[in-house]
Amino acid sequence: MSEAGGGRGCGSPVPQRAPWSLVATTAALCLVTATSMWTAGAAPMSREEKQKLGNQVLEMFDHAYGNYMEHAYPADELMPLTCRGRVRGQEPSRGDVDDALGKFSLTLIDSLDTLVVLNKTKEFEDAVRKVLRDVNLDNDVVVSVFETNIRVLGGLLGGHSLAIMLKEKGEYMQWYNDELLQMAKQLGYKLLPAFNTTSGLPYPRINLKFGIRKPEARTGTETDTCTACAGTLILEFAALSRFTGATIFEEYARKALDFLWEKRQRSSNLVGVTINIHTGDWVRKDSGVGAGIDSYYEYLLKAYVLLGDDSFLERFNTHYDAIMRYISQPPLLLDVHIHKPMLNARTWMDALLAFFPGLQVLKGDIRPAIETHEMLYQVIKKHNFLPEAFTTDFRVHWAQHPLRPEFAESTYFLYKATGDPYYLEVGKTLIENLNKYARVPCGFAAMKDVRTGSHEDRMDSFFLAEMFKYLYLLFADKEDIIFDIEDYIFTTEAHLLPLWLSTTNQSISKKNTTSEYIELDDSNFDWTCPNTQILFPNDPLYAQSIREPLKNVVDKSCPRGIIRVREESFRSGAKPPLRARDFMATNPEHLEILKKMGAASSIDAEDGLRFMQEMIELSSQQQKEQQLPPRAVQIVSHPFFGRVVLTAGPAQFGLDLSKHKETRGFVASSKPYNGCSELTNPEAVMGKIALIQRGQCMFAEKARNIQNAGAIGGIVIDDNEGSSSDTAPLFQMAGDGKDTDDITIPMLFLFSKEGSILLDAIREYEEVEVLLSDKARDRDAETENEEQPFSENDSQNQSAEQMAGSQEADLVDQESPGESALNSHPESSSPAATDNAASAPPPDPSSAPAGNHAPSSLDGECTDLDNQLQEQSETEEDSSPNVSWGKKVQPIDFILADWNEDIEAFDMMEKGEL
């Protein structure tokens, strides 16, 4: 985002074709006015500490970028656990995630302008030469139009913008002659065939060499695209047109935006998640500010800032009014149905919505930005990172975290808008968590599961393009940056485009088609920077007063945002609608309410629809909770020191690591390696953790053989070459159909890829010590400092010392341990299945791990109106702790027999098929 706060002027509107210098100046004045009110009332972080943190960010970037260049370049991305490059087609497919890879050195291009922001001008000049020399854009690869636009086209344009700036300064890039711009233009023309649709919406994918719909292209048959995919093109395409004078790019991007605007749901002014690119029909009719829609809203507002077209601001304000009316349930942002916006579409939020507080800063709506940001920060403090999705009662829904930068982005803009040093402390926490939990010898690894701390062999290009840029700017003073950042706007990938483009090659006609049928509160059409006397009342602790009620929202309070309760119903004395989590089949009143749903009125019909949706999601959750959660194998010996954490599958026998202390020991291979007979090397595994290969006998038999040899634990490594936790569902080891109480050691399962990392470590270092646990533990900071083998500077060592003394965060969400399968379920087998098949979840609730049936915060702690009205039901639940959720709702199939068709429809919606 641009630092230009909230609008284009401070006190008076900026003319539509105002010089870029005026835009930048007025934006800076807005910022200074807002900031000055804070510095007077809050103790600022010292200049020395800010410099220290800034230097730490520089060192972290060097660690990530240097390892990419050493181990991965010219591949698109670095695989930090195996220290090699990720090349499309040479690694197991990850589905749509791989569509960002086009064999065009993605990470290098995405990092170009980051190098300049971080004052690495010499490295930038070298990187530009490498791009011009090595990168080929004519590859026979099918790529995402959206990802290629924001990462590659945006990266080339951002690099060009700063290359010409450096050239003008006279020291660097004197040889540069718009070569990056010519590459960007070449890429732009390669993307244009994607727009060959009747609607003007682009196909979601294109072949860089063959385009669309040719037999060789292997694409062009898709019918749907996401709203963000079609609506996040205008900045890059318009900049390309303004830089080159070729208007076709801006014209195509504008046409796509115009079509999306025309197809919005007129009564709610919301847009859906996915749309048919040929007919314009909404395919997924849920609407939010997260995945699938996010940057569409962002680009409407930023297109106004960059291009000076009032219609973009009017459209944004129209949507923003709808967002705040329906989706915003402070501090939550919950998806709704576009045709029934009072009906929530889901009970969880995804991590991508973390950008929204930053966008609200640009809009000038600070209070809800502070509220949502604080809620997200509380989730991060609980899990160390923001899970890919989490429920409205802040349990983990999807456990991955691919090192997304959106929260850091919003933190930066909130600090710029308020000057509150609280946000510097937030940034410091982000730095510490990245170094403590994500840093590995060859870079930074994405989190496979934030609850266990296990890693994924993945370091996306956006991590270098955005995360380090925002963190460095957070702690940098104006004199720390070699150019004026206020002269640029950030794209959604944090690439920098100069504001002077607003008056360059401006030949696109702008017909105002917005206001003729829009009736909104005039307050949503402020075209000036917000009056800071209104934004920040004469109270220097304004932001703190907003945050204070939310500081314990995750751990102690009970948000009522799972399903919106109609306030007017409460005012009229009506009871709140029946919730699926409260339903009791033995409660006559509940049965009576169930019969009336859909029969009496539109409100009853809405309640019935919501109840079915909740029941489906609740049933899905129960299926997940029947599975054991993942475990962690953490390499703690030199030179790893706990940096590498491998995702491990649990066993349904042996020591339960969730109930007992972790097991730590050196590893040794068993002989025979399959562990299917008495070991011939008991002296080698005595007191150690034995490595065994999968196959040829039962898991339990392997465990007994190594236990009899004196092993303190066992790790079974998959014999299926190439298998990986990245692409396969969580694997659970079953017993042998007999009593396994005699097995007392912990047993974990590693897929082939994770097992190879461990075996490679043994081959290189011989003595390898690991920790078997339910979650990763804090690394041994003292040992790491004594034997630090890496070329890390003093700031990193000092950070490690500080982290050693910090209290360990709760990585495991005890209320949802089964969610680690991420909607994937292992194949079922009989209890006596061999180790070549995953086991079925145990049918007996008592065999599930502790915490599976613990009441959630909503069930056990809330005292809100819903729970008061359901006191009797809760008392019955508490008096029967052994009754599982599954048993509680078992009769629902019979009760809802007449609703099967509707339930199937909701199930399709949940899977994205409706």
Side-chain angles (χ1 to χ4, degrees), residues 80-83 436-437 439-441 452-455 631-648 662-668 689 691 715 717 748 750-773 775-781 783-784 789-790:
L81 297 183
T82 50
C83 299
K436 194 173 186 179
Y437 302 110
R439 187 170 182 139
V440 294
T452 65
S454 57
H455 291 136
R631 306 297 188 215
V633 175
Q634 188 172 12
I635 307 178
V636 295
S637 55
H638 168 84
F640 303 96
F641 301 115
R643 294 181 184 277
V644 175
V645 184
L646 307 174
T647 300
E662 68 275 359
T663 297
R664 179 170 179 162
F666 288 92
V667 294
I689 296 172
L691 302 181
I715 299 175
I717 298 177
L748 297 182
L750 290 179
F751 282 108
S752 173
K753 179 181 175 182
E754 286 75 14
S756 296
I757 294 173
L758 182 57
L759 293 173
D760 289 344
I762 295 172
R763 278 190 287 270
E764 186 166 356
Y765 300 104
E766 295 185 1
E767 294 292 319
V768 173
E769 188 178 18
V770 301
L771 188 72
L772 311 184
S773 61
K775 61 181 179 180
R777 298 298 189 256
D778 288 354
R779 64 187 57 156
D780 189 340
T783 304
E784 184 176 355
F790 307 114

Side-chain angles (χ1 to χ4, degrees), residues 782-907:
E782 290 185 7
T783 304
E784 184 176 355
N785 287 337
E786 290 173 4
E787 302 183 61
Q788 182 60 268
F790 307 114
S791 56
E792 301 170 1
N793 65 11
D794 292 339
S795 64
Q796 169 60 19
N797 293 339
Q798 195 161 4
S799 173
E801 292 173 2
Q802 294 169 351
M803 292 183 292
S806 65
Q807 182 177 5
E808 180 178 341
D810 179 15
L811 274 170
V812 179
D813 189 330
Q814 295 292 349
E815 297 173 5
S816 55
E819 292 172 357
S820 57
L822 305 175
N823 298 325
S824 299
H825 301 280
E827 297 176 0
S828 300
S829 66
S830 66
T834 68
D835 67 359
N836 290 320
S839 68
D844 183 0
S846 64
S847 65
N852 273 12
H853 307 299
S856 70
S857 60
L858 290 172
D859 293 325
E861 298 177 7
C862 288
T863 57
D864 63 14
L865 184 56
D866 285 356
N867 284 344
Q868 292 174 18
L869 293 174
Q870 298 296 339
E871 183 177 358
Q872 180 180 357
S873 298
E874 292 188 358
T875 303
E876 293 176 8
E877 287 180 41
D878 293 341
S879 64
S880 305
N882 293 326
V883 179
S884 71
W885 268 107
K887 291 184 178 179
K888 176 180 173 183
V889 299
Q890 184 64 30
I892 199 62
D893 290 337
F894 174 77
I895 296 171
L896 302 180
D898 295 333
W899 290 357
N900 283 339
E901 183 176 346
D902 291 332
I903 291 176
E904 289 175 4
F906 267 94
D907 196 25

Side-chain angles (χ1 to χ4, degrees), residues 650-694:
Q652 294 178 357
F653 54 86
L655 184 71
D656 186 347
L657 291 169
S658 67
K659 299 178 181 178
H660 300 84
K661 187 178 180 181
E662 68 275 359
T663 297
R664 179 170 179 162
F666 288 92
V667 294
S669 296
S670 61
K671 293 183 180 179
Y673 190 31
N674 58 33
C676 290
S677 60
E678 182 179 350
L679 266 59
T680 60
N681 64 334
E683 69 288 345
V685 300
M686 174 73 70
K688 296 183 179 180
I689 296 172
L691 302 181
I692 329 159
Q693 188 178 46
R694 179 185 182 185

